Amino acid sequence: MQKILLTGGAGYIGSHTAIYLLEHGYDVVIVDNLSNASRKAVDAIKNITRKSFKFYRADVRYKTALYKVFRENKIDAVVHFAGLKAVGESVDKPLMYYDNNLKSTVALLNVMKAYNVTRVVFSSSATIYADPDSRLYNEKTTKVARATNAYGTTKVMQEYILEDTVNGAEFSDAGGLKVMSLRYFNPIGAHESGDIGENPNGIPNNLAPYITQVLVGRREYLSVFGDDYDTPDGTCIRDYIHITDLAIGHTLALKYLFSLTGAHFDAINLGSGKGSSVFEVIKSFEKAAGAEVPYKITGRRAGDLPETVADVQKAKNILGFVTTHTLDDGTLDSLNWQQKHPNGFEELD
């Protein structure tokens, strides 16, 4: 049984990936400092899967803590989720983001090298792309550039760190470092049980949890940032991918890395390949809830592009990855989680 270390494994994407891995024959070790996650998510993973695994509350930036994890477990591969991720906060506190996100990746790679662990799936983001010439973001033809915020820039820099390490000689004695960088588009949804889902601290940064909090009465209305874009209904279009499909994508990436010999770096989009506008997402939630979502149109938000949709052909060709969940599946599952847990994990404390 292959043992997979999930850094940041108590977070939204990490926890759902842990569930999928445990249910499909992998052993899992989770490391998370719980700065943007809850210990209740760890408990929920165990309750859903009925499987045991090791959890370490630790900060990935510090090698001493990582050495303990690697020393006590024979790790076969790593999925590196750990990192700060709020775009707005990163604009206000760039040093905190550079310190946290870059330092954690460098520390992780050094400890992996010490224990001859050569496979890592990296949690990247579509925010690393510059404005494309076409409506689809393609891994090869869409330019990767310095982002408009520190969060996105750290993702660009971490990809550079990983690729440079693949091309270097430090892992050569272990057969070479093998990296798959997964560039996410917009995760949505929750586990079908409704026992775990997106649980943001404070004001949500993403559209779906904001809408669900409005629908359960935690917030008065949704702010729609602009309705005058050059799109069919004037609102921004984004590519939404169900969290379960995203978890499957990580599992396929791990399988691919285990099939490789020699050093390797690749980057692949994980999205649905379909775009949905803000108004379309609102309508989908209204269908799921049987109620209207109150909203107000406000001014455009700085940095928002009219349309971002993934070119998913590479994921299909290399990983055999195809999404099986729709936008309606995502909104229904998101709402189910929020209705069962109106205050998220806080109510369980």
Side-chain angles (χ1 to χ4, degrees):
M1 183 183 293
Q2 290 162 336
K3 184 170 286 191
I4 313 299
L5 171 63
L6 306 183
T7 70
Y12 176 43
I13 302 173
S15 61
H16 286 79
T17 301
I19 290 168
Y20 194 84
L21 289 170
L22 287 165
E23 291 180 337
H24 289 80
Y26 292 87
D27 196 1
V28 163
V29 177
I30 292 177
V31 176
D32 200 304
N33 66 2
L34 302 182
S35 64
N36 193 35
S38 171
R39 177 58 197 253
K40 301 300 180 182
V42 178
D43 297 335
I45 296 168
K46 291 181 179 178
N47 291 336
I48 289 168
T49 63
R50 302 297 177 190
K51 295 180 184 295
S52 62
F53 56 87
K54 288 186 179 179
F55 169 72
Y56 295 82
R57 183 168 185 175
D59 193 317
V60 181
R61 288 176 295 174
Y62 302 113
K63 288 189 287 186
T64 301
L66 284 177
Y67 278 126
K68 174 179 171 63
V69 174
F70 279 75
R71 185 171 62 249
E72 295 180 357
N73 303 274
K74 188 181 182 306
I75 303 298
D76 295 300
V78 178
V79 184
H80 183 33
F81 295 107
L84 299 174
K85 62 177 185 176
V87 170
E89 182 183 58
S90 78
V91 174
D92 293 333
K93 301 177 180 179
L95 286 179
M96 183 170 75
Y97 272 69
Y98 288 121
D99 178 79
N100 187 91
N101 294 2
L102 302 185
K103 199 171 179 180
S104 65
T105 297
V106 173
L108 176 64
L109 287 170
N110 273 302
V111 178
M112 286 175 61
K113 177 166 65 76
Y115 282 86
N116 292 327
V117 178
T118 63
R119 293 171 174 86
V120 58
V121 176
F122 174 59
S123 172
S124 192
S125 169
T127 59
I128 72 171
Y129 287 123
D131 193 1
D133 294 328
S134 66
R135 65 176 293 273
L136 294 180
Y137 283 57
N138 178 275
E139 298 93 338
K140 185 175 181 180
T141 61
T142 305
K143 185 179 179 183
V144 172
R146 190 185 189 283
T148 57
N149 56 80
Y151 163 72
T153 303
T154 65
K155 291 297 185 184
V156 175
M157 295 175 74
Q158 285 173 97
E159 284 205 6
Y160 289 157
I161 290 168
L162 289 161
E163 188 169 12
D164 285 347
T165 307
V166 166
N167 293 331
E170 290 168 302
F171 279 81
S172 57
D173 290 344
L177 182 65
K178 302 153 187 68
V179 176
M180 179 65 72
S181 183
L182 299 180
R183 296 171 178 172
Y184 312 150
F185 280 68
N186 295 72
I188 194 172
H191 189 265
E192 60 184 2
S193 67
D195 292 333
I196 195 167
E198 190 166 6
N199 186 56
N201 291 339
I203 299 173
N205 291 296
N206 298 329
L207 179 61
Y210 208 110
I211 293 176
T212 60
Q213 290 187 13
V214 170
L215 285 168
V216 298
R218 284 178 60 181
R219 303 194 182 277
E220 185 180 355
Y221 62 87
L222 170 72
S223 294
V224 175
F225 298 111
D227 64 348
D228 58 350
Y229 286 92
D230 185 18
T231 60
D233 65 18
T235 64
C236 292
I237 292 173
R238 297 291 181 263
D239 184 329
Y240 294 91
I241 176 171
H242 196 286
I243 191 67
T244 299
D245 285 326
L246 203 54
I248 293 169
H250 288 81
T251 308
L252 292 173
L254 283 168
K255 288 181 179 178
Y256 180 74
L257 291 182
F258 279 116
S259 74
L260 298 175
T261 57
H264 183 87
F265 176 90
D266 210 345
I268 289 182
N269 292 336
L270 287 187
S272 69
K274 302 182 179 101
S276 300
S277 72
V278 173
F279 283 155
E280 287 174 329
V281 175
I282 291 173
K283 288 176 183 176
S284 181
F285 270 109
E286 289 178 335
K287 177 182 174 183
E292 291 188 356
V293 175
Y295 66 85
K296 293 182 181 181
I297 305 297
T298 64
R300 291 188 181 191
R301 187 169 54 183
D304 275 348
L305 297 172
E307 184 173 11
T308 61
V309 179
D311 184 332
V312 296
Q313 194 60 47
K314 186 175 181 180
K316 183 178 181 179
N317 292 345
I318 293 179
L319 302 181
F321 176 76
V322 179
T323 58
T324 59
H325 295 75
T326 66
L327 174 66
D328 285 347
D329 294 330
T331 56
L332 185 63
D333 289 340
S334 292
L335 185 61
N336 180 40
W337 148 254
Q338 195 77 79
Q339 288 177 332
K340 290 185 73 172
H341 305 278
N343 296 307
F345 287 121
E346 292 177 15
E347 66 193 26
L348 302 177
D349 292 335

